[in-house]
PDB file of all heavy atoms in Angstrom:
ATOM      1  N   VAL I  12     130.186  92.957 130.558  1.00 94.00           N
ATOM      2  CA  VAL I  12     130.116  94.137 129.705  1.00 94.00           C
ATOM      3  C   VAL I  12     128.695  94.294 129.172  1.00 94.00           C
ATOM      4  O   VAL I  12     127.981  93.309 128.981  1.00 94.00           O
ATOM      5  CB  VAL I  12     131.128  94.039 128.537  1.00 94.00           C
ATOM      6  CG1 VAL I  12     130.782  92.868 127.627  1.00 94.00           C
ATOM      7  CG2 VAL I  12     131.178  95.336 127.753  1.00 94.00           C
ATOM      8  N   GLN I  13     128.279  95.526 128.932  1.00 96.00           N
ATOM      9  CA  GLN I  13     126.952  95.788 128.398  1.00 96.00           C
ATOM     10  C   GLN I  13     126.909  95.552 126.891  1.00 96.00           C
ATOM     11  O   GLN I  13     127.931  95.638 126.218  1.00 96.00           O
ATOM     12  CB  GLN I  13     126.537  97.229 128.701  1.00 96.00           C
ATOM     13  CG  GLN I  13     126.370  97.542 130.173  1.00 96.00           C
ATOM     14  CD  GLN I  13     125.860  98.952 130.408  1.00 96.00           C
ATOM     15  OE1 GLN I  13     125.279  99.571 129.524  1.00 96.00           O
ATOM     16  NE2 GLN I  13     126.065  99.455 131.607  1.00 96.00           N
ATOM     17  N   PRO I  14     125.734  95.251 126.359  1.00 97.00           N
ATOM     18  CA  PRO I  14     125.610  95.087 124.913  1.00 97.00           C
ATOM     19  C   PRO I  14     126.125  96.327 124.187  1.00 97.00           C
ATOM     20  O   PRO I  14     125.848  97.449 124.598  1.00 97.00           O
ATOM     21  CB  PRO I  14     124.105  94.900 124.698  1.00 97.00           C
ATOM     22  CG  PRO I  14     123.646  94.289 125.982  1.00 97.00           C
ATOM     23  CD  PRO I  14     124.461  94.978 127.052  1.00 97.00           C
ATOM     24  N   GLY I  15     126.887  96.102 123.125  1.00 97.00           N
ATOM     25  CA  GLY I  15     127.468  97.203 122.382  1.00 97.00           C
ATOM     26  C   GLY I  15     128.822  97.623 122.905  1.00 97.00           C
ATOM     27  O   GLY I  15     129.522  98.422 122.262  1.00 97.00           O
ATOM     28  N   GLY I  16     129.206  97.092 124.036  1.00 96.00           N
ATOM     29  CA  GLY I  16     130.477  97.428 124.629  1.00 96.00           C
ATOM     30  C   GLY I  16     131.622  96.629 124.058  1.00 96.00           C
ATOM     31  O   GLY I  16     131.456  95.841 123.128  1.00 96.00           O
ATOM     32  N   SER I  17     132.795  96.833 124.637  1.00 95.00           N
ATOM     33  CA  SER I  17     134.006  96.166 124.166  1.00 95.00           C
ATOM     34  C   SER I  17     134.744  95.493 125.305  1.00 95.00           C
ATOM     35  O   SER I  17     134.626  95.882 126.471  1.00 95.00           O
ATOM     36  CB  SER I  17     134.939  97.170 123.483  1.00 95.00           C
ATOM     37  OG  SER I  17     134.335  97.767 122.356  1.00 95.00           O
ATOM     38  N   LEU I  18     135.504  94.502 124.937  1.00 95.00           N
ATOM     39  CA  LEU I  18     136.301  93.768 125.903  1.00 95.00           C
ATOM     40  C   LEU I  18     137.526  93.212 125.183  1.00 95.00           C
ATOM     41  O   LEU I  18     137.451  92.871 123.997  1.00 95.00           O
ATOM     42  CB  LEU I  18     135.488  92.635 126.515  1.00 95.00           C
ATOM     43  CG  LEU I  18     135.923  92.084 127.875  1.00 95.00           C
ATOM     44  CD1 LEU I  18     135.856  93.173 128.936  1.00 95.00           C
ATOM     45  CD2 LEU I  18     135.030  90.915 128.267  1.00 95.00           C
ATOM     46  N   ARG I  19     138.631  93.138 125.886  1.00 94.00           N
ATOM     47  CA  ARG I  19     139.867  92.632 125.299  1.00 94.00           C
ATOM     48  C   ARG I  19     140.391  91.457 126.110  1.00 94.00           C
ATOM     49  O   ARG I  19     140.590  91.563 127.319  1.00 94.00           O
ATOM     50  CB  ARG I  19     140.927  93.737 125.249  1.00 94.00           C
ATOM     51  CG  ARG I  19     142.251  93.341 124.600  1.00 94.00           C
ATOM     52  CD  ARG I  19     143.202  94.535 124.597  1.00 94.00           C
ATOM     53  NE  ARG I  19     144.536  94.225 124.096  1.00 94.00           N
ATOM     54  CZ  ARG I  19     144.889  94.253 122.816  1.00 94.00           C
ATOM     55  NH1 ARG I  19     143.996  94.575 121.883  1.00 94.00           N
ATOM     56  NH2 ARG I  19     146.140  93.963 122.465  1.00 94.00           N
ATOM     57  N   LEU I  20     140.612  90.357 125.446  1.00 95.00           N
ATOM     58  CA  LEU I  20     141.157  89.167 126.076  1.00 95.00           C
ATOM     59  C   LEU I  20     142.609  89.000 125.671  1.00 95.00           C
ATOM     60  O   LEU I  20     142.995  89.348 124.561  1.00 95.00           O
ATOM     61  CB  LEU I  20     140.379  87.917 125.660  1.00 95.00           C
ATOM     62  CG  LEU I  20     138.871  87.886 125.925  1.00 95.00           C
ATOM     63  CD1 LEU I  20     138.302  86.548 125.475  1.00 95.00           C
ATOM     64  CD2 LEU I  20     138.576  88.138 127.395  1.00 95.00           C
ATOM     65  N   SER I  21     143.404  88.463 126.567  1.00 92.00           N
ATOM     66  CA  SER I  21     144.800  88.212 126.262  1.00 92.00           C
ATOM     67  C   SER I  21     145.182  86.826 126.747  1.00 92.00           C
ATOM     68  O   SER I  21     144.588  86.290 127.684  1.00 92.00           O
ATOM     69  CB  SER I  21     145.713  89.265 126.897  1.00 92.00           C
ATOM     70  OG  SER I  21     145.630  89.221 128.308  1.00 92.00           O
ATOM     71  N   CYS I  22     146.177  86.269 126.106  1.00 90.00           N
ATOM     72  CA  CYS I  22     146.640  84.938 126.463  1.00 90.00           C
ATOM     73  C   CYS I  22     148.120  84.819 126.143  1.00 90.00           C
ATOM     74  O   CYS I  22     148.572  85.234 125.085  1.00 90.00           O
ATOM     75  CB  CYS I  22     145.845  83.878 125.698  1.00 90.00           C
ATOM     76  SG  CYS I  22     146.346  82.174 126.035  1.00 90.00           S
ATOM     77  N   ALA I  23     148.863  84.252 127.059  1.00 88.00           N
ATOM     78  CA  ALA I  23     150.290  84.051 126.871  1.00 88.00           C
ATOM     79  C   ALA I  23     150.641  82.600 127.157  1.00 88.00           C
ATOM     80  O   ALA I  23     150.218  82.037 128.170  1.00 88.00           O
ATOM     81  CB  ALA I  23     151.092  84.975 127.776  1.00 88.00           C
ATOM     82  N   ALA I  24     151.396  82.010 126.269  1.00 86.00           N
ATOM     83  CA  ALA I  24     151.814  80.625 126.419  1.00 86.00           C
ATOM     84  C   ALA I  24     153.274  80.554 126.822  1.00 86.00           C
ATOM     85  O   ALA I  24     154.103  81.335 126.352  1.00 86.00           O
ATOM     86  CB  ALA I  24     151.598  79.860 125.119  1.00 86.00           C
ATOM     87  N   SER I  25     153.581  79.625 127.681  1.00 83.00           N
ATOM     88  CA  SER I  25     154.961  79.431 128.106  1.00 83.00           C
ATOM     89  C   SER I  25     155.243  77.945 128.227  1.00 83.00           C
ATOM     90  O   SER I  25     154.373  77.156 128.599  1.00 83.00           O
ATOM     91  CB  SER I  25     155.236  80.132 129.439  1.00 83.00           C
ATOM     92  OG  SER I  25     154.436  79.584 130.478  1.00 83.00           O
ATOM     93  N   GLY I  26     156.472  77.585 127.908  1.00 78.00           N
ATOM     94  CA  GLY I  26     156.862  76.199 127.988  1.00 78.00           C
ATOM     95  C   GLY I  26     158.208  75.971 127.327  1.00 78.00           C
ATOM     96  O   GLY I  26     158.640  76.765 126.495  1.00 78.00           O
ATOM     97  N   SER I  27     158.857  74.907 127.683  1.00 81.00           N
ATOM     98  CA  SER I  27     160.160  74.580 127.123  1.00 81.00           C
ATOM     99  C   SER I  27     160.041  73.444 126.116  1.00 81.00           C
ATOM    100  O   SER I  27     159.206  72.543 126.263  1.00 81.00           O
ATOM    101  CB  SER I  27     161.139  74.197 128.241  1.00 81.00           C
ATOM    102  OG  SER I  27     160.684  73.050 128.943  1.00 81.00           O
ATOM    103  N   GLY I  28     160.877  73.523 125.100  1.00 84.00           N
ATOM    104  CA  GLY I  28     160.896  72.479 124.092  1.00 84.00           C
ATOM    105  C   GLY I  28     159.733  72.495 123.122  1.00 84.00           C
ATOM    106  O   GLY I  28     159.551  71.541 122.357  1.00 84.00           O
ATOM    107  N   VAL I  29     158.957  73.576 123.157  1.00 85.00           N
ATOM    108  CA  VAL I  29     157.794  73.686 122.283  1.00 85.00           C
ATOM    109  C   VAL I  29     157.807  75.027 121.569  1.00 85.00           C
ATOM    110  O   VAL I  29     157.995  76.066 122.198  1.00 85.00           O
ATOM    111  CB  VAL I  29     156.480  73.544 123.069  1.00 85.00           C
ATOM    112  CG1 VAL I  29     155.288  73.680 122.132  1.00 85.00           C
ATOM    113  CG2 VAL I  29     156.431  72.205 123.781  1.00 85.00           C
ATOM    114  N   SER I  30     157.602  74.994 120.278  1.00 88.00           N
ATOM    115  CA  SER I  30     157.521  76.205 119.481  1.00 88.00           C
ATOM    116  C   SER I  30     156.060  76.446 119.118  1.00 88.00           C
ATOM    117  O   SER I  30     155.435  75.614 118.461  1.00 88.00           O
ATOM    118  CB  SER I  30     158.369  76.078 118.218  1.00 88.00           C
ATOM    119  OG  SER I  30     158.238  77.209 117.390  1.00 88.00           O
ATOM    120  N   ILE I  31     155.517  77.578 119.554  1.00 89.00           N
ATOM    121  CA  ILE I  31     154.124  77.897 119.292  1.00 89.00           C
ATOM    122  C   ILE I  31     153.967  78.338 117.844  1.00 89.00           C
ATOM    123  O   ILE I  31     154.543  79.334 117.421  1.00 89.00           O
ATOM    124  CB  ILE I  31     153.604  78.992 120.234  1.00 89.00           C
ATOM    125  CG1 ILE I  31     153.786  78.564 121.690  1.00 89.00           C
ATOM    126  CG2 ILE I  31     152.142  79.296 119.936  1.00 89.00           C
ATOM    127  CD1 ILE I  31     153.047  77.288 122.043  1.00 89.00           C
TER     128      ILE I  31
END
Side-chain angles (χ1 to χ4, degrees):
V12 64
Q13 295 184 21
S17 299
L18 202 62
R19 182 179 175 87
L20 303 182
S21 63
C22 179
S25 63
S27 61
V29 179
S30 176
I31 303 300

